[in-house]
Amino acid sequence: MHIKVKQGIDNCYMAHKYEHPGYEEDLCAGLRTLNGDGEPCETCKKCYLYYGHPMWNEEE
């Protein structure tokens, strides 16, 4: 995992406000409905560190 990505996730205000989501595919797992279950919250879905962000999933 790139150190800047890890630092970004570890310093995320959402991770501190709720619970740390962990890492998936070297990116943030996303806070899943703010308690660890279900879909990631809308704020996390917009984050560039979220593993499911469209930027990371673009087909080439």
Side-chain angles (χ1 to χ4, degrees):
M1 171 178 288
H2 192 279
I3 190 68
K4 287 188 178 184
V5 171
K6 184 176 186 313
Q7 287 174 336
I9 295 167
D10 291 344
N11 292 325
C12 174
Y13 75 95
M14 292 293 286
H16 288 283
K17 185 174 181 180
Y18 298 99
E19 66 180 54
H20 196 294
Y23 312 100
E24 287 182 29
E25 301 175 22
D26 291 338
L27 294 169
C28 185
L31 292 168
R32 301 185 190 286
T33 59
L34 309 180
N35 67 2
D37 299 323
E39 288 290 311
C41 69
E42 291 304 313
T43 301
C44 292
K45 284 183 179 181
K46 296 174 186 172
C47 177
Y48 285 103
L49 297 174
Y50 166 50
Y51 79 99
H53 193 283
M55 182 177 119
W56 307 113
N57 293 325
E58 291 178 3
E59 293 185 19
E60 296 166 329

